[in-house]
Amino acid sequence: MAITNPTDKLLFEVSADGRRCLRLPALDVPKVDVKQALKGVKLRAKPAPLPEVGELDLVRHFTNLGKKNFSTDRNFYPLGSCTMKYNPKINVTLLSLPGFTKAHPHLPEADLQGHIELMVTLENWLSEISGLPAVTLQPAAGAQGEMTGLMVIKAYFDKKGESKTRRKVIIPDNAHGTNPATAALAGFETVTLKGNAEGNVDLNLLRSLVGPDTAAMMITNPSTLGILEPNMAEIAKILHAAGAQLYMDGANMNAIQGMVRPGDYGVDCMHFNLHKTYSVPHGSGGPGAGPIAVASHLEPFLPTPRPVRNADGSYSLDTKRPDTIGKVRSFFGNYGALVMAYIYMSQLGREGVRRNGENAVLNANYLRARLRGVYHIQNDKACAHEVVFTDKKQHTENDITALDIAKRMIDYNIHPMTIYFPLPAVTGGDGAMMVEPTETESKETLDYFVEVMKKIAQECKENPELVKNAPHTTPVSRVDEKSATTNPQLYCPMCIA
Amino acid sequence: MPFIQNTDADQKAMLAAIGVKSIDELFVDIPANLRLKMSDSNMLKLPPGKGELEVTRHIQGLLAKTKNAGDYAFFRGGGIYNHFVSTLIDHIALFDGSFITAYTPYQPECSQGTLTFIYEFQSCITALTGLEVANASMYDAASALAEAMMMGKHVAEDRFRKETRNNFVLAGAFNPEYVQVCKTYADVAGLKVIQVQPGADGRIDKEALAKVLTRKVFAVAVQSPNYLGIIEDVEAVVAASKECEALVVQCVGEPLSLALLQTPAEAGVDICVGEGQALGNHQFLGGPAFGFFAAKKDWLRKMPGRIVSETKDRDGRRAFSLALATREQHIRREKATSNICTNQSLCALRALIHLSAWGKKGFVELAEHTVSKTQYAMQKLASVPGVSLAHPNSPVFNEFVIQAAPSLEKKLLKKRIVGGLPLDKYGKGRRGQYLVAITEVTTKAEIDQYAEALAEALKGKPVTVS
């Protein structure tokens, strides 16, 4: 019979009647009868069956769970399109000051002066980096930033009386899936734009698609193939000539920050992912923040309240904005995330912003050069902050897929690169392996990665089963993700007692 | 340069390996006239970088220009609550890098830590709501409510193919933050948000509700406890919605109430959404925290957001993985149920630690404690001449509305008291009303001070009646 360490059980499974970590102070007011105090409203039949655990077991549970995770603090994490850079410790230290943790959104405005100042300054910095005059920090994530951007564009056309005719949003086929999902939810029809042989925008094709029914184009630059789009200014011209707007997905801003400003080449609206470019920790999947920057003609439509600096140097929250789209997130968005981005950007300064972009691009190109010939590169030219390899060689020669290679990397303590994206349709039918090293990795780490990838390529030839059955060193072997979907088990049985 | 480890020698070696002379050559696709130069007059107008000491001083300087809930006897909630947050939570979720510096668990073999805690979190939300399927969390209650609206529309489209249903009803007193977000989303989706204002007792006006419940309605939402702190009769809303076959959504602003009150499942709702801040998350001016989202299992495949399931590995051992990704944007693109790609995992982790650290009995005690304190505060404040309870016959959990006089804020602030939230802007006839919130942090002494300060501020003022 298998022996299980309690630390490998769920909290619900180690729960025992009467255990607890926290205690309340003695009640300093008269104790009331709940049923009577609540005027006889129906109460729940039984207490919620939450786990009951002691403090040591609770701490041990989470410490051991932590060991079952790869994280940037422990592992090289070249997950393409996610910008898994180092998250400075000072961010969380300062964020845990009571001035932030106990900042209630309904405090009087006079008590929020430092916070509003921080927001106004952060808006100014993002405005400077984007080359666009106005910024809102309210969207809670990149996807919500996109949604806000399209809402703002829609409101702009509403005001001009054109929203009924401008129904279409053009999206390149290599775009992240969020772009078409957002456009559809914002009530637009999506039109897919096929890329040219280099994976860039085909200008003639674009010209043929753009017309009086076009509301906007959503473009990611650098593209999701890790390539800088060379014709951004021309693309903007084509859209503007037809009265349409250019939206830029700023997910890959890490590559071009401080090098070129999207507003300078005609972008009307873009979002930032502060959890990618400005080091807000990814938090196992969130929270992040997705501010948007807009050209002046879109500014009246931004969400409220708008943090503003008054002529006398004081700060206030402006809600008198007749053309606003309203609110997309309660209160001020993910303010805690904004604080961390602010602290990080304060440390970077103007030189740091630029050097981040330069070194992110240098590191990606170094990996491209070192692994050329080992893995197939569909489009072997200078890349931006990430490089897309494919499994073409290993797949044809040894029937090994990008997924197998990714899983084998885990055995070398490297988090897999992105493999589910871009779709095979835009990588010549082969499985993509999108590697984004970021600027914070050392050359030693990059060299280790190169050696590991070479070794895995060799293993594909000499011992393909080793790769196909990887990983071998993790708490669980390959996980059956299919049955998680066909037969989902979403809660522990003890929680419905 | 901060956080960059490449030395000049490293850069040189790397450029040589790439076969270019300078980093600039890697940016050839950006036309030269658009490129910023570090020496240019059009160089980025950002300040020079600061070191750790300087940035710490700078942040302390900014915070010197603020005050927080801890600086006062504090009586405001309205969606964000001044709860005690155990030190266990920051140690695990903030200072240990294992969860905060990981990303979405796309590779389950090296993400079992995250996947396990999300599964445990989902189980806790099921324990609180009684509803069988809970997702891994959303941005906040407001966006969770907006997502419930979109889901309600999708469900209705499937169930009633021959009908056009575009109305979403918000019954009773809702948090205005939630209403605004719902309206923003409804606008672009071509949906109509119908608000049914509360009656004089602060509860849902049943007659007014009955009038709008037609077959044009795809879903009805009720906030309970509502924005005025009052516990609504959710069962009655479920019954009233039967005939028009609309989905019923319960929205919860203070999830501690779920420790005591009839569960959303017992009331018969289809979907329960809510704000998770009160569960171990700091205030941070309102975010980040998380929205929770739970539903009857019939609606699983229409649900937005990330979901984790138990499964097995190749060797038959228990394992966890993301599930039902076929609903999500990266697979479905323009046909996805939602455009959301992330959840608020770290905030959900905080809630899991909070709920486990209090545990089954502790969480109930916490809620009972709050009820006793709230009852004391109601009696104490209502005993002040010129102050009365705005809805004396309606049941409340941790918040209640007092009727006093307008513009008392400044007088209270002088005594280091942030009194209840003025409701002047919330609705007609609410001049001089304040929404008072109580938590386990509130002491009897603070409540007494508040009453005393109110008495002094109201001396000589005529008693106003709304």
Side-chain angles (χ1 to χ4, degrees), chain A residues 10-13 17 20-22 25 28 32 37-39 41-45 50-52 61-62 65-66 68-74 77 82 84 88 90 100-104 106-107 111 114 117 125 128 143-144 154 175 178 180-182 184-186 255 259 281-287 325 327 329-332 334-336 342 346-347 349-350 354-355 359 361 363 381 407 440 468-469 474 477-480 483-485 489-492 495, chain B residues 1 3 5-6 11 14 27 29 35-36 38 45-47 49-50 52 58 65-69 72 74 76-77 80 97-103 107 109-114 119-120 122-123 127-128 132 140 177 180-181 184-185 188 235 258-263 266 283-288 301 308-315 317-318 321 323-324 329 333-334 339 341-346 356-357 359 361-362 365 369 372-373 395-396 444:
Chain A
L10 299 175
L11 284 171
F12 287 93
E13 294 165 346
D17 210 30
R20 64 194 293 177
C21 307
L22 303 175
D28 55 0
V32 298
L38 301 188
K39 303 189 192 301
V41 298
K42 284 193 185 162
L43 302 181
R44 60 185 300 152
L50 298 168
E52 297 182 89
H61 175 75
F62 288 106
L65 281 188
K68 296 179 184 176
N69 260 6
F70 277 22
S71 62
T72 53
D73 270 7
R74 194 176 288 141
Y77 211 123
C82 299
M84 300 300 289
I90 187 78
F100 294 120
T101 59
K102 291 185 181 174
H104 192 280
H106 285 309
L107 277 157
D111 289 345
E117 181 180 342
W125 292 348
E128 180 61 20
Q144 206 180 33
K154 200 170 197 177
T178 322
T182 304
L185 285 170
M259 185 63 75
H282 281 72
S284 290
I325 58 163
K327 288 184 79 90
R329 167 84 171 66
S330 52
F331 302 109
F332 307 99
N334 281 343
Y335 180 65
Y342 178 89
S346 299
Q347 289 173 280
R350 55 185 171 236
R354 164 83 165 217
R355 297 287 174 250
N359 284 279
V361 171
N363 283 0
K381 52 172 264 188
K407 298 292 188 199
T440 56
K468 283 183 188 177
N469 292 318
T474 42
S477 55
R478 273 210 211 176
V479 172
D480 181 0
S483 80
T485 291
Q489 309 284 326
L490 308 182
Y491 58 84
C492 179
C495 78
Chain B
M1 276 298 127
F3 316 121
Q5 306 192 64
N6 288 339
Q11 287 193 349
M14 290 162 81
F27 287 89
D29 282 329
R35 262 189 259 177
L36 302 174
M38 286 313 280
K45 290 174 194 69
L46 260 57
K50 294 183 175 73
E52 196 173 312
H58 172 69
K65 294 181 235 175
T66 66
K67 283 208 171 79
N68 63 69
Y72 293 106
F74 192 79
R76 287 192 185 170
I80 298 293
S98 306
F99 302 110
I100 194 171
T101 74
Y103 194 37
Q107 298 288 345
E109 296 81 6
C110 57
S111 310
Q112 284 299 302
T114 294
Y119 179 81
E120 292 182 314
Q122 290 174 180
S123 298
L128 290 180
E132 294 130 315
D140 61 351
E177 299 281 328
Q180 288 180 53
V181 172
T184 308
Y185 277 80
V188 290
E235 263 181 322
L258 292 170
L260 298 178
L261 302 182
Q262 180 187 50
T263 67
E266 286 164 347
Q283 296 167 48
F284 294 139
L285 287 189
R301 277 161 214 275
V308 168
S309 169
E310 183 184 323
T311 179
K312 288 196 169 8
D313 74 355
R314 274 190 185 169
D315 302 300
R317 287 175 291 200
R318 174 163 73 184
S321 87
L324 302 148
Q329 41 74 30
R333 300 179 79 85
E334 64 272 9
N339 76 329
C341 350
T342 51
N343 64 326
Q344 308 275 298
S345 283
L346 201 71
S356 311
K361 287 188 198 69
E365 276 173 35
H369 215 80
S372 290
K373 290 199 178 219
V396 301
K444 175 176 179 292

Side-chain angles (χ1 to χ4, degrees), chain B residues 1 35 57 176 195 204 245 253 279 294 336 345 347-348 379 405 431:
Chain B
M1 276 298 127
R35 262 189 259 177
R57 277 184 188 146
Q195 271 187 279
I204 290 173
E245 299 181 276
L279 304 175
S345 283
C347 303
Q379 283 159 21
R431 204 170 127 77

Side-chain angles (χ1 to χ4, degrees), chain A residues 125-132 248 253 256-267 270, chain B residues 30 34-36 42-45:
Chain A
W125 292 348
L126 295 175
S127 164
E128 180 61 20
I129 290 168
S130 62
L132 291 162
M248 193 184 105
M253 204 54 199
I256 58 169
Q257 51 177 334
M259 185 63 75
V260 62
R261 308 191 305 169
D264 291 350
Y265 49 65
V267 166
M270 67 168 287
Chain B
I30 300 177
L34 290 172
R35 262 189 259 177
L36 302 174
N42 59 5
M43 176 174 78
L44 285 182
K45 290 174 194 69

Side-chain angles (χ1 to χ4, degrees), chain B residues 25-336:
Chain B
E25 282 181 51
L26 299 171
F27 287 89
V28 286
D29 282 329
I30 300 177
N33 63 324
L34 290 172
R35 262 189 259 177
L36 302 174
K37 304 270 185 319
M38 286 313 280
S39 54
D40 263 9
S41 55
N42 59 5
M43 176 174 78
L44 285 182
K45 290 174 194 69
L46 260 57
K50 294 183 175 73
E52 196 173 312
L53 171 61
E54 269 180 296
V55 84
T56 302
R57 277 184 188 146
H58 172 69
I59 290 293
Q60 283 165 342
L62 279 177
L63 289 181
K65 294 181 235 175
T66 66
K67 283 208 171 79
N68 63 69
D71 296 325
Y72 293 106
F74 192 79
F75 293 93
R76 287 192 185 170
I80 298 293
Y81 299 95
N82 183 29
H83 282 294
F84 175 72
V85 175
S86 165
T87 185
L88 287 168
I89 301 174
D90 279 347
H91 274 279
I92 295 165
L94 207 56
F95 301 130
D96 178 335
S98 306
F99 302 110
I100 194 171
T101 74
Y103 194 37
T104 301
Y106 287 128
Q107 298 288 345
E109 296 81 6
C110 57
S111 310
Q112 284 299 302
T114 294
L115 289 160
T116 307
F117 87 64
I118 293 178
Y119 179 81
E120 292 182 314
F121 164 80
Q122 290 174 180
S123 298
C124 282
I125 295 301
T126 291
L128 290 180
T129 61
L131 293 164
E132 294 130 315
V133 294
N135 75 14
S137 72
M138 323 215 65
Y139 304 138
D140 61 351
S143 61
L145 183 62
E147 292 282 345
M149 171 181 76
M150 307 293 249
M151 174 176 155
K153 170 69 179 165
H154 290 146
V155 168
E157 271 173 0
D158 260 24
R159 279 171 81 198
F160 313 106
R161 295 193 177 203
K162 287 182 186 151
E163 298 176 37
T164 308
R165 295 185 176 224
N166 280 328
N167 294 358
F168 182 55
V169 174
L170 295 177
F174 261 83
N175 187 323
E177 299 281 328
Y178 307 170
V179 177
Q180 288 180 53
V181 172
C182 265
K183 282 188 172 166
T184 308
Y185 277 80
D187 270 356
V188 290
L191 304 175
K192 192 172 160 192
V193 174
I194 298 175
Q195 271 187 279
V196 178
Q197 296 302 331
D201 62 354
R203 307 170 86 168
I204 290 173
D205 180 339
K206 287 181 184 167
E207 279 174 31
L209 176 62
K211 275 186 202 146
V212 301
L213 289 182
T214 65
R215 296 194 71 84
K216 285 185 179 160
V217 176
F218 60 81
V220 184
V222 48
Q223 183 177 339
S224 182
N226 71 20
Y227 190 61
L228 305 170
I230 299 164
I231 302 161
E232 296 276 14
D233 185 351
V234 181
E235 263 181 322
V237 178
V238 173
S241 312
K242 276 254 154 62
E243 200 187 317
C244 69
E245 299 181 276
L247 289 192
V248 179
V249 181
Q250 181 178 347
C251 178
V252 180
E254 170 47 288
L256 180 58
S257 64
L258 292 170
L260 298 178
L261 302 182
Q262 180 187 50
T263 67
E266 286 164 347
V269 306
D270 297 281
I271 301 170
C272 176
V273 298
E275 174 60 51
Q277 181 271 330
L279 304 175
N281 281 275
H282 292 305
Q283 296 167 48
F284 294 139
L285 287 189
F290 69 95
F292 57 88
F293 195 116
K296 283 183 178 164
K297 66 173 185 295
D298 316 14
W299 311 127
L300 171 61
R301 277 161 214 275
K302 293 277 180 206
M303 236 166 77
R306 193 161 281 161
I307 299 174
V308 168
S309 169
E310 183 184 323
T311 179
K312 288 196 169 8
D313 74 355
R314 274 190 185 169
D315 302 300
R317 287 175 291 200
R318 174 163 73 184
F320 300 94
S321 87
L322 292 175
L324 302 148
T326 43
R327 303 161 300 125
E328 291 189 70
Q329 41 74 30
H330 62 278
I331 311 278
R332 294 273 288 170
R333 300 179 79 85
E334 64 272 9
K335 293 188 187 69

Side-chain angles (χ1 to χ4, degrees), chain B residues 362-417:
Chain B
F363 196 58
V364 173
E365 276 173 35
L366 188 61
E368 287 175 346
H369 215 80
T370 307
V371 170
S372 290
K373 290 199 178 219
T374 306
Q375 293 295 318
Y376 176 78
M378 286 165 75
Q379 283 159 21
K380 188 79 193 175
L381 297 184
S383 72
V384 173
V387 179
S388 59
L389 297 174
H391 317 105
N393 299 316
S394 300
V396 301
F397 175 65
N398 68 318
E399 279 178 301
F400 58 92
V401 179
I402 54 168
Q403 175 72 55
S407 316
L408 296 175
E409 195 171 18
K410 283 198 179 129
K411 287 182 184 159
L412 297 176
L413 283 172
K414 276 188 195 143
K415 309 221 169 221
R416 301 180 71 84
I417 296 166

